């Protein structure tokens, strides 16, 4: 069991909107070291880097948005990536209710859970369709 470690993270992000277009990206560098653990560890430090980019365009103002996204990690235990495209529809032109359809491709997904349509390590295509209500 690891009791303590040093966690160093540097990140930068930028985004812009212009006449229905949106573009945002970010990159990070992370280093873990100075592990204090019970027992021996096979490594003394870990480093990874990552980036993500997403963009969208409002096809119909306040109603239909087309978007695309992608991310990549360069790490000591693999180089997973993902990419996707989706559509948001606000049928009442209000943010409280939307319908979303999304097609994603995962190559060794570094994230996942039982509440998502994919698990850690997933490979391949995932299509999801959902309705969201905020109240």
């Amino acid at each position: 069991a690891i009791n303590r470690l040093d966690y160093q993270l540097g990140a930068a992000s930028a985004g812009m909107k212009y006449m229905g277009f949106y573009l945002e990206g970010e990159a990070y560098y992370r280093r873990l070291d100075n592990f204090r653990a019970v027992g021996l560890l096979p490594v003394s430090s870990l480093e990874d880097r990552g980036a993500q980019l997403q963009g969208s365009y409002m096809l119909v103002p306040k109603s239909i948005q087309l978007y695309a996204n992608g991310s990549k990690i360069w790490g000591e235990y693999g180089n997973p990536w993902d990419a996707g495209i989706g559509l948001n529809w606000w049928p009442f032109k209000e943010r409280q209710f939307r319908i979303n359809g999304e097609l994603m491709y995962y190559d060794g997904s570094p994230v996942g859970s039982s509440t998502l349509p994919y698990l850690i390590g997933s490979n391949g295509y995932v299509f999801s369709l959902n309705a969201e209500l905020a109240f």
Side-chain angles (χ1 to χ4, degrees):
I2 297 174
N3 297 320
R4 290 186 55 168
L5 60 90
D6 289 345
Y7 184 99
Q8 301 163 52
L9 176 68
S13 66
M16 63 170 276
K17 287 184 177 183
Y18 179 74
M19 297 183 66
F21 287 96
Y22 168 76
L23 183 64
E24 187 268 335
E26 73 179 50
Y28 79 90
Y29 167 80
R30 179 177 64 172
R31 180 179 173 85
L32 309 174
D33 60 12
N34 293 324
F35 298 107
R36 272 83 81 208
V38 176
L40 298 175
L41 296 175
V43 297
S44 60
S45 68
L46 294 171
E47 294 183 18
D48 59 20
R49 294 160 184 77
Q52 67 93 17
L53 183 67
Q54 58 185 3
S56 70
Y57 179 67
M58 292 301 294
L59 297 172
V60 177
K62 298 184 179 183
S63 182
I64 300 176
Q65 177 190 43
L66 177 66
Y67 66 89
N69 54 47
S71 69
K72 172 83 173 148
I73 295 174
W74 295 269
E76 296 180 36
Y77 292 99
N79 301 305
W81 63 275
D82 63 64
I85 188 166
L87 192 72
N88 286 312
W89 175 38
W90 292 272
F92 306 114
K93 296 186 179 183
E94 298 287 337
R95 292 283 186 194
Q96 289 80 9
F97 179 71
R98 78 172 174 156
I99 297 172
N100 171 260
E102 182 174 56
L103 177 65
M104 295 289 295
Y105 180 82
Y106 295 96
D107 181 20
S109 177
V111 298
S113 78
S114 60
T115 61
L116 297 172
Y118 52 90
L119 299 173
I120 293 174
S122 289
N123 292 298
Y125 290 95
V126 173
F127 176 74
S128 67
L129 180 63
N130 61 69
E132 297 178 16
L133 175 63
F135 55 92

